[in-house]
Amino acid sequence: MHFKWNYEPPTSEQQTAAKELGEKIGMSPILAKLLIQRGIKTESAAKRFFRPMLNELIDPFLMNDMDVAVDRLNDAMGRKERIMVYGDYDVDGCTAVALVYKFLQQFYSNIEYYIPDRYEEGYGISKKGLHYAAEKGIKLIIVLDCGIKAIEEIAYAKSLGIDFIICDHHVPDDELPNAVAILNPKRVDSTYPFKDLCGCGVGFKLMQAFAKNNGIPFSRLIPLLDFCAVSIAADIVPIMGENRILAYHGLKQLNQSPSVGLKAIIDICGLTGREITMSDIVFKIGPRINASGRMQNGTEAVDLLVEKDLQKALSEANHINEYNEQRKDVDKQMTEEANQIVEKLESQKQNASIVLYDENWKKGVIGIVASRLTELYYKPTVVLTKFNGIATGSARSVAGYDIYDAIKSCRDLLENFGGHTYAVGLSLKIENIPEFRSRFQKYVMEHIQPEQTEATLDIDAMIDFKEVTKKLHNDLKKFAPHGPDNPKPLFCTRNVYDYGTSKVVGRQQEHIKLELVDSKSSNVLNGIAFGQSGSARYIKSKRSFDIVYTIEDNIYKRTEVQLQIEDIQPSESE
């Protein structure tokens, strides 16, 4: 992918502010500037950012309907009613169900969980799930990471004598379902100060409120925070505010004392003995949890997450790992097919978006294919397949562009849709696809901004290699965990040279392992440039080039730093 580099030098006022803050907190002005960019401008705010405290979590009863939800849950337990914990089949849904089920099961045994089958029931609350609940005598369903648009289904459940507590974070419509309680910080009338919780985060807030109401020590919730970290990373929600507190302590739990199911996944991923980061969750742990729902049934993922016996968990994790291998094969084949279609469509080159349909594609993998095409072509993308006689699909967006609004503009053509800014699920009649494609592409063309049509690297600071010190690296680590709204800081160094030992590596010779010097110091720094072997010939030509990179631990030599190089361009002087 070709990147545009974006760098805005700090103004004299910004430099002064960064210098003053840096002196107060013992950090370089470079890093103090990063704090200011994140809205952290005082010494006390910086301390809170670097040491997130669980006692700074927001009072859960500030969320609309929380008191009603807790009262209904208490009543159900008091009357010994059977309770179902129901969730979506993705990582966020499965971790949310595991968290709520594991916590309540400590105090109440008349409880079970349910994950709908992606292929038989589809997304959200299903009639099949409701019929099963009625047969089992369920009186209360706690639904997680879905349900905010299930108006008809929840009305039907009410006719069966089943009450609902909705814990969701997707954008609601004007009309809300007739549930006992609707916990969603994105409600128009929301009084909750933080809007960006994931589904698992909303489930956690319900359990926090339940514990507070029943005199259960908060310490009983801490072992479940690893689920919050996994869902926050996998669902790509902003890692600031309350999410930062949950992710920070969740990662701590994941590294020090993970739940049995997650420990088994960590072992299968080859992460044992390493410090697990948000990136490890996104690229290794999350895809394995997701693979169960994509290839078979998400219930197996929850079975693993709530398992108490390590040997059983390892067996289940191996099984889920097999699903993930199958998913990779299907994903690769579908992406290649989709890519060929895009390449052949002459009209596609002029369009600001991509809409593809193939009735033979596997429903569980189209979201991944949409993500891959978005990365490859840097355009908002919708990928559709045929399921139960209608077109169903996933939409993914580029940085800064709200694809939810674009999909919503075509709602009269849709059977259903839901999601958030960067990811939407949708379904429509097959005969409506041409009209949907035309209107969606027209809407994107009219509303996308020029800066949203090109992949951009936002550089945080221009530095020389002499500034890449152990102290800078240690201070940078304090900015973790990283994600939306708190990305890994990107640095740029101009006029660097191959030290003479750089080489192409990887199974398919696709990466470059580098040893570099810059023009202003004698420091030699190691680097890795994934997927950029196309630049190897230029690098070996002894000419200077510029690099944009993050500063990482060298996993093979823990005492050394390594540059993870995001992009390489010839120096302008060349």
Side-chain angles (χ1 to χ4, degrees):
M1 183 187 288
H2 173 73
F3 288 101
K4 177 185 175 185
W5 294 9
N6 181 38
Y7 175 65
E8 292 184 16
T11 63
S12 57
E13 290 85 357
Q14 288 170 331
Q15 287 177 319
T16 302
K19 185 172 181 293
E20 288 174 0
L21 180 59
E23 286 170 356
K24 287 176 185 173
I25 62 175
M27 273 189 180
S28 74
I30 294 168
L31 300 188
K33 173 179 167 273
L34 298 184
L35 287 173
I36 291 168
Q37 286 172 343
R38 286 158 174 74
I40 299 155
K41 299 176 182 177
T42 64
E43 184 179 358
S44 59
K47 284 179 179 174
R48 285 198 304 276
F49 179 77
F50 290 133
R51 290 192 292 276
M53 305 293 284
L54 287 168
N55 62 11
E56 291 178 350
L57 288 171
I58 300 165
D59 179 355
F61 285 100
L62 291 177
M63 194 176 290
N64 303 54
D65 285 359
M66 186 63 81
D67 51 345
V68 182
V70 171
D71 285 347
R72 181 64 186 90
L73 182 52
N74 284 335
D75 287 346
M77 290 180 165
R79 294 198 289 256
K80 305 237 178 332
E81 292 176 352
R82 187 146 185 82
I83 299 171
M84 175 185 279
V85 185
Y86 187 117
D88 187 23
Y89 36 62
D90 69 358
V91 178
D92 192 15
C94 289
T95 52
V97 167
L99 185 151
V100 171
Y101 176 79
K102 277 189 81 170
F103 188 68
L104 290 180
Q105 198 192 29
Q106 298 173 75
F107 314 103
Y108 190 69
S109 59
N110 197 14
I111 184 169
E112 64 179 285
Y113 55 85
Y114 187 93
I115 303 290
D117 186 291
R118 184 191 292 259
Y119 296 98
E120 284 188 18
E121 299 166 75
Y123 171 79
I125 299 162
S126 71
K127 287 282 180 71
K128 182 182 175 183
L130 293 177
H131 290 154
Y132 171 84
E135 285 169 17
K136 288 284 187 175
I138 302 290
K139 294 298 178 187
L140 175 65
I141 295 178
I142 301 170
V143 61
L144 297 140
D145 194 34
C146 56
I148 197 63
K149 292 191 173 185
I151 293 166
E152 290 178 20
E153 292 82 0
I154 287 176
Y156 180 63
K158 206 167 186 65
S159 74
L160 298 174
I162 301 170
D163 282 342
F164 264 86
I165 294 171
I166 297 173
C167 300
D168 204 352
H169 70 124
H170 296 99
V171 178
D173 274 339
D174 295 336
E175 184 185 355
L176 296 175
N178 186 20
V180 169
I182 298 174
L183 309 177
N184 186 331
K186 290 192 178 78
R187 281 174 58 161
V188 175
D189 60 345
S190 176
T191 53
Y192 198 68
F194 186 71
K195 307 298 181 194
D196 293 313
L197 291 169
C198 59
C200 187
V202 180
F204 179 84
K205 298 308 292 187
L206 174 60
M207 293 302 94
Q208 185 189 0
F210 172 79
K212 188 175 182 180
N213 181 262
N214 287 281
I216 300 165
F218 182 83
S219 58
R220 298 285 292 271
L221 284 160
I222 291 174
L224 301 167
L225 286 170
D226 52 3
F227 292 135
C228 287
V230 169
S231 66
I232 287 167
D235 221 51
I236 317 179
V237 290
I239 305 190
M240 291 296 278
E242 192 162 38
N243 280 343
R244 181 170 172 82
I245 301 171
L246 293 171
Y248 179 92
H249 289 279
L251 272 180
K252 196 172 170 184
Q253 188 70 26
L254 197 62
N255 279 290
Q256 293 176 0
S257 183
S259 64
V260 170
L262 286 173
K263 181 173 179 7
I265 299 173
I266 289 165
D267 287 351
I268 293 298
C269 292
L271 293 171
T272 304
R274 273 180 48 188
E275 184 178 356
I276 295 163
T277 65
M278 298 300 265
S279 290
D280 292 322
I281 296 171
V282 171
F283 294 110
K284 295 191 174 179
I285 297 172
R288 284 166 171 83
I289 297 172
N290 249 338
S292 176
R294 290 189 189 284
M295 305 306 293
Q296 199 65 40
N297 189 300
T299 302
E300 293 183 49
V302 180
D303 292 343
L304 169 58
L305 294 175
V306 301
E307 182 56 65
K308 296 174 183 175
D309 179 89
L310 183 57
Q311 289 311 309
K312 280 187 185 173
L314 285 167
S315 173
E316 290 169 352
N318 269 306
H319 195 45
I320 277 176
N321 198 49
E322 288 170 16
Y323 288 144
N324 194 48
E325 293 304 313
Q326 294 168 25
R327 187 273 305 166
K328 284 182 189 173
D329 291 340
V330 175
D331 159 19
K332 185 180 177 187
Q333 180 189 334
M334 283 171 51
T335 301
E336 285 173 358
E337 289 174 6
N339 195 25
Q340 286 171 12
I341 294 169
V342 176
E343 290 294 314
K344 284 176 186 171
L345 287 173
E346 193 60 38
S347 61
Q348 188 58 64
K349 294 178 176 64
Q350 281 75 49
N351 286 328
S353 59
I354 295 170
V355 179
L356 297 181
Y357 168 73
D358 188 306
E359 64 178 28
N360 298 312
W361 285 339
K362 191 171 179 68
K363 183 189 175 196
V365 185
I366 50 178
I368 300 176
V369 175
S371 294
R372 301 240 192 273
L373 293 175
T374 303
E375 289 169 17
L376 190 59
Y377 294 99
Y378 210 73
K379 295 179 179 183
T381 298
V382 180
V383 178
L384 300 159
T385 189
K386 186 178 180 179
F387 182 72
N388 284 346
I390 66 168
T392 183
S394 290
R396 297 292 184 270
S397 195
V398 296
Y401 185 73
D402 189 338
I403 202 166
Y404 184 88
D405 279 351
I407 299 289
K408 190 178 178 181
S409 73
C410 306
R411 67 182 305 160
D412 57 302
L413 297 171
L414 306 177
E415 298 297 299
N416 209 346
F417 76 101
H420 23 106
T421 304
Y422 295 122
V424 178
L426 67 154
S427 61
L428 66 158
K429 291 174 181 171
I430 291 167
E431 58 265 31
N432 285 347
I433 293 174
E435 177 68 10
F436 169 78
R437 179 185 284 117
S438 171
R439 279 176 43 188
F440 175 79
Q441 292 183 332
K442 184 173 185 286
Y443 185 94
V444 173
M445 188 79 78
E446 289 173 353
H447 291 83
I448 199 162
Q449 300 301 308
E451 64 271 17
Q452 295 166 346
T453 61
E454 192 172 5
T456 302
L457 292 176
D458 291 318
I459 296 163
D460 291 290
M462 293 280 186
I463 61 174
D464 300 323
F465 280 177
K466 66 176 180 290
E467 295 173 275
V468 184
T469 62
K470 193 67 183 169
K471 176 169 173 26
L472 179 81
H473 182 42
N474 287 336
D475 285 345
L476 269 174
K477 288 181 183 178
K478 297 174 185 175
F479 280 76
H482 295 293
D485 288 5
N486 183 36
K488 282 187 178 179
L490 276 177
F491 301 98
C492 178
T493 302
R494 298 201 183 279
N495 296 304
V496 303
Y497 297 86
D498 174 28
Y499 189 60
T501 49
S502 298
K503 59 184 178 182
V504 175
V505 296
R507 250 183 242 171
Q508 297 174 311
Q509 300 285 285
E510 67 269 43
H511 316 308
I512 317 174
K513 194 173 186 310
L514 301 133
E515 282 193 310
L516 301 172
V517 291
D518 70 353
S519 58
K520 295 185 179 177
S521 70
S522 57
N523 289 13
V524 180
L525 292 178
N526 291 310
I528 184 76
F530 293 113
Q532 297 182 62
S533 57
S535 297
R537 182 174 292 181
Y538 186 91
I539 288 167
K540 299 302 285 183
S541 72
K542 306 290 185 187
R543 288 178 287 177
S544 71
F545 51 96
D546 304 337
I547 55 173
V548 176
Y549 56 91
T550 60
I551 300 172
E552 312 286 348
D553 277 319
N554 185 327
I555 60 171
Y556 301 107
K557 297 177 182 176
R558 295 301 295 226
T559 55
E560 293 183 9
V561 302
Q562 176 173 273
L563 311 183
Q564 184 163 315
I565 296 165
E566 301 298 324
D567 200 23
I568 299 166
Q569 292 184 7
S571 296
E572 285 182 11
S573 57
E574 294 290 326

